Amino acid sequence: MQKQYELTYDENFCIEADGKVRANIRFINFNQNIRGKWVKMGGIAMVVTDPMYRRKGYVKKIMNYLIEKMKKENFDVSALYPFIDTFYSAYGYVNISPFVTMKFDPKYFSRWKNLPEGYSVKRLSHEKGFKYYKEIHNKIVNTIHGSVKRNEKRWKEYDRPGPGWFVVTFNKNGKPEGVMKYSSKGFSRGFDWTEEGKLRVSEIHTLTPKSRHALYNYLYLHSDQIVEACLPIYPNQSMMYPWLQGYYMTELNPMNIWQARIIDVKSTLDNIAVSYDAQINIRITDKQITENNQTYAIKAHDGKLKVETSKKEAELEMTIEGLSSLVYGVLLTNDLEAFGWLKNAKEEEKALLDKWFPLQEPTLTEGF
């Protein structure tokens, strides 16, 4: 932790009272994939207050400072993991889906008892496997809505040994196509000298179905030792359920949700790819960032959005929470009306917005 703080101390913002630090927030500069477009994202993390100094507005003061900082430094969006969603909802953040893991017996991977032809698998230490993890991660984030790209400073933070292993798959040409980071403990079940055999995969990324097959083969080979495997589920991939067999029940475990909001309406929407050319005028209201309180003429041409501010008034009104929910892909326009985040919308306008921003579950690939 000391070495990590020496690397990241400049990302921390604090408030002092009575000569000591009483509240702290870490602010991380990220790039996030929003429907295939990379945008500048401010990640808010490690929000903490001395219990004896709570309810004095210290975190509120830092949050207001960071929102102003993001606006001045041309951030497009912001994301965080809340300790409670209602606190950050007051700053315009909306709830996004949680990260989900699945627990099951690795023998359910029996369909993949043999490696695909020409593929090989290697279990590697952190020192030998990290370069492959970095290479594949840098490729896979381009395919995941909501994912985060790591800069070199962030990669340095991850480049530290710890418990567990990297498993890497290689194709017939020796090129890496898949990587998995995991740890295990225990042995089988029913022995009084050890706990039950469990294996936990913290990350698994594959560039091809055959590399996914190869990693599942590796997990299947543990079925005599491991009775419970826990794997993350990524919405951008084909579902895991058809890859299993010999079962009828699994256990899904959602983790904590994350929240997000748009910081700059125009820069976020500009050049987002859409499937339908049309135009719409929307009046946006934002309680925190007054610069967003404008009417926007949004036009799709040749499959890309172009956004201009307009002096004309628009009947269609949307809050920043509604726009953030649409862009991140967690709500449709009928839902926004139920939340009170969309008003005076004609049916054809709602249909257009739903075509531009269909439901698409985002995955925040970064923990912070």
Side-chain angles (χ1 to χ4, degrees):
M1 289 297 294
Q2 177 66 32
K3 289 182 178 180
Q4 178 179 341
Y5 192 75
E6 290 173 2
L7 178 66
T8 63
Y9 73 93
D10 58 330
E11 298 172 350
N12 289 270
F13 296 82
C14 65
I15 286 183
E16 294 183 1
D18 301 329
K20 293 185 178 180
V21 173
R22 301 302 184 183
N24 189 87
I25 286 182
R26 183 180 175 192
F27 179 72
I28 314 172
N29 192 331
F30 285 120
N31 286 299
Q32 188 173 33
N33 182 342
I34 302 297
R35 297 185 183 270
K37 175 189 172 183
W38 288 102
V39 299
K40 189 176 180 181
M41 185 266 273
I44 293 174
M46 300 175 71
V47 181
V48 63
T49 310
D50 185 326
M52 298 297 292
Y53 285 78
R54 286 180 185 157
R55 303 189 185 282
K56 297 181 182 294
Y58 291 152
V59 172
K60 180 179 180 180
K61 186 174 181 179
I62 300 179
M63 283 296 299
N64 288 332
Y65 170 81
L66 290 181
I67 287 177
E68 183 67 21
K69 175 182 173 67
M70 287 187 281
K71 183 185 69 177
K72 288 182 178 179
E73 297 181 5
N74 301 314
F75 280 78
D76 300 300
V77 298
S78 177
L80 54 83
Y81 290 94
F83 71 93
I84 186 170
D85 62 344
T86 51
F87 182 86
Y88 298 103
S89 296
Y91 298 92
Y93 288 82
V94 297
N95 294 2
I96 313 292
S97 52
F99 190 69
V100 177
T101 61
M102 182 192 293
K103 290 182 181 179
F104 54 87
D105 193 316
K107 69 183 180 182
Y108 297 162
F109 277 138
S110 58
R111 187 192 303 272
W112 316 107
K113 61 181 62 177
N114 297 309
L115 272 175
E117 185 177 354
Y119 277 72
S120 61
V121 176
K122 291 183 180 179
R123 184 181 68 177
L124 302 171
S125 65
H126 174 89
E127 290 80 3
K128 294 183 178 180
F130 185 76
K131 64 179 181 179
Y132 299 113
Y133 169 54
K134 182 177 179 180
E135 178 183 344
I136 291 173
H137 190 281
N138 284 338
K139 292 177 180 178
I140 204 70
V141 292
N142 291 303
T143 69
I144 303 174
H145 170 49
S147 65
V148 166
K149 186 182 294 184
R150 296 172 183 162
N151 58 26
E152 285 305 312
K153 179 181 179 182
R154 186 69 173 171
W155 274 117
K156 188 178 292 185
E157 189 177 349
Y158 273 82
D159 190 7
R160 59 181 190 269
W165 302 89
F166 284 114
V167 177
V168 184
T169 65
F170 298 88
N171 63 22
K172 62 182 180 181
N173 297 316
K175 300 293 184 181
E177 286 189 1
V179 65
M180 178 173 70
K181 189 176 183 180
Y182 82 98
S183 59
S184 64
K185 61 181 179 179
F187 182 84
S188 188
R189 62 162 52 99
F191 296 96
D192 58 6
W193 47 269
T194 184
E195 58 187 299
E196 287 190 348
K198 296 182 179 181
L199 184 150
R200 182 176 183 84
V201 176
S202 57
E203 289 187 66
I204 179 169
H205 302 296
T206 57
L207 302 178
T208 65
K210 286 187 176 182
S211 62
R212 191 174 182 182
H213 170 177
L215 286 178
Y216 288 172
N217 167 258
Y218 179 85
L219 291 171
Y220 172 72
L221 294 176
H222 286 70
S223 55
D224 287 337
Q225 174 183 350
I226 300 297
V227 295
E228 180 185 286
C230 181
L231 270 71
I233 295 177
Y234 298 103
N236 64 297
Q237 296 180 346
S238 63
M239 290 185 177
M240 189 184 296
Y241 314 106
W243 294 77
L244 306 173
Q245 67 177 9
Y247 78 108
Y248 63 94
M249 291 283 287
T250 61
E251 181 182 345
L252 299 180
N253 297 284
M255 311 295 280
N256 55 313
I257 66 167
W258 55 288
Q259 293 182 287
R261 67 157 287 154
I262 290 174
I263 299 296
D264 189 305
V265 172
K266 185 180 185 304
S267 63
T268 299
L269 295 182
D270 261 335
N271 291 314
I272 283 184
V274 294
S275 60
Y276 190 82
D277 284 0
Q279 183 171 343
I280 196 171
N281 291 343
I282 304 177
R283 172 70 182 175
I284 300 295
T285 58
D286 188 334
K287 294 179 181 178
Q288 291 76 32
I289 303 176
T290 57
E291 288 83 352
N292 285 331
N293 292 321
Q294 300 190 59
T295 297
Y296 297 87
I298 307 173
K299 182 179 181 180
H301 180 67
D302 290 339
K304 293 287 183 70
L305 292 184
K306 296 295 180 184
V307 183
E308 300 291 342
T309 56
S310 174
K311 294 182 179 180
K312 295 181 180 179
E313 290 297 322
E315 289 187 15
L316 179 60
E317 296 182 13
M318 187 183 298
T319 64
I320 196 67
E321 292 90 345
L323 185 62
S324 299
S325 299
L326 269 184
V327 171
Y328 273 90
V330 295
L331 293 176
L332 294 173
T333 51
N334 281 337
D335 303 319
L336 299 185
E337 288 181 324
F339 280 76
W341 293 343
L342 178 66
K343 296 180 180 179
N344 308 321
K346 299 175 182 177
E347 289 301 317
E348 57 268 26
E349 292 173 327
K350 292 196 295 182
L352 173 60
L353 290 171
D354 288 341
K355 285 182 180 178
W356 280 354
F357 305 108
L359 290 178
Q360 185 176 355
E361 186 175 353
T363 301
L364 185 55
T365 54
E366 202 77 355
F368 52 87

